[in-house]
Amino acid sequence: MVSMILNNLSQFPLEASDPEERFITSGVSWEAYESLLASLGDRSSFRVSYLLDTLEIMSPSRNHELDKENIGRLLEAYLEENRIRFWGLGSTTFRNRDKQAGKEPDECYCIATDKDIPDLAIEVVYTSGGVNTLEIYQRLGVKEVWFWQDNQFRIYYLQDNNYQQISQSQLLPNLDLALFAQYVTINDPLEAILEWRKQVRSN
């Protein structure tokens, strides 16, 4: 099973202009999932998700990675300027055998205190379909999930073991996400971070 999956991954194109590629297969045991993770090691070119017996592997596009990096830098600048303690865990693999769920976020953070599971996970979405991302995060116990799609954020907060879509972050209630989104879309990352820090300081 693992060798078959790895063979399929070798067919993924890696050109900068290519869109995201997804490989999805069902009937994958937990043992096969963990064996695949071990085989891939720290190869950051893939994001692996697992829910029950379904496995999804995504090869992100160049634009996907640009947005991911921009969001992370801008969010960390906001946290720094507001003296909010955080632990950035990037695309760390989080998994729970009992819940049969595993995920590698695009970005994720523990807020205020370090924890085994992040408080916040961020997903950049360029293509739809695949496994149910919110169900994976619900099984893992991530408090808040941000989806970046079509140049805007959709926010979900875990309440009574179910996600509710909300208009404002509960973890960072003073962060103006509509304004934040404007800086994410600035083409020059240096200009974006410098202007964003000025904006945060002025508030």
Side-chain angles (χ1 to χ4, degrees):
M1 171 67 77
V2 173
S3 61
M4 181 272 291
I5 293 172
L6 291 172
N7 182 61
N8 276 282
L9 294 184
S10 69
Q11 308 303 313
F12 277 11
L14 297 175
E15 297 175 17
S17 60
D18 284 327
E20 291 179 353
E21 297 287 340
R22 291 179 185 270
F23 171 79
I24 302 173
T25 186
S26 59
V28 180
S29 68
W30 184 263
E31 290 74 19
Y33 164 58
E34 291 202 317
S35 180
L36 175 67
L37 292 177
S39 297
L40 290 175
D42 294 328
R43 292 173 63 184
S44 60
S45 57
F46 298 113
R47 303 278 193 280
V48 182
S49 303
Y50 183 87
L51 178 61
L52 300 174
D53 70 343
T54 300
L55 179 79
E56 176 185 276
I57 304 173
M58 190 265 284
S59 175
S61 66
R62 182 176 187 272
N63 287 336
H64 179 287
E65 293 298 270
L66 284 171
D67 283 354
K68 175 189 96 72
E69 292 295 324
N70 288 342
I71 292 168
R73 277 193 300 267
L74 293 166
L75 179 58
E76 289 173 19
Y78 174 85
L79 296 169
E80 291 165 4
E81 294 294 339
N82 285 282
R83 304 298 188 268
I84 298 172
R85 285 186 169 80
F86 68 94
W87 285 257
L89 303 176
S91 295
T92 299
T93 302
F94 299 96
R95 56 191 186 270
N96 185 315
R97 184 188 182 106
D98 291 340
K99 298 289 187 179
Q100 290 289 289
K103 191 82 177 73
E104 295 171 353
D106 284 318
E107 295 285 355
C108 64
Y109 297 89
C110 294
I111 306 296
T113 59
D114 193 8
K115 308 171 184 72
D116 292 334
I117 296 295
D119 299 298
L120 170 63
I122 300 173
E123 294 287 332
V124 175
V125 180
Y126 269 86
T127 57
S128 58
V131 298
N132 188 327
T133 298
L134 279 179
E135 184 175 349
I136 295 176
Y137 283 131
Q138 179 266 327
R139 288 169 177 260
L140 294 175
V142 176
K143 288 182 182 178
E144 194 164 291
V145 182
W146 297 2
F147 290 97
W148 171 257
Q149 187 174 21
D150 298 326
N151 293 337
Q152 59 185 347
F153 289 102
R154 287 184 292 118
I155 312 298
Y156 292 85
Y157 189 75
L158 190 62
Q159 191 168 18
D160 299 325
N161 207 36
N162 287 296
Y163 281 108
Q164 306 293 328
Q165 187 168 3
I166 57 177
S167 59
Q168 187 61 38
S169 171
Q170 294 294 300
L171 292 172
L172 302 170
N174 295 321
L175 174 59
D176 185 335
L177 285 164
L179 180 62
F180 182 44
Q182 294 177 26
Y183 286 86
V184 176
T185 60
I186 294 176
N187 289 328
D188 185 334
L190 178 59
E191 178 186 352
I193 195 71
L194 293 176
E195 292 302 317
W196 175 240
R197 283 189 182 275
K198 289 180 184 178
Q199 177 68 46
V200 174
R201 289 168 184 166
S202 69
N203 289 338

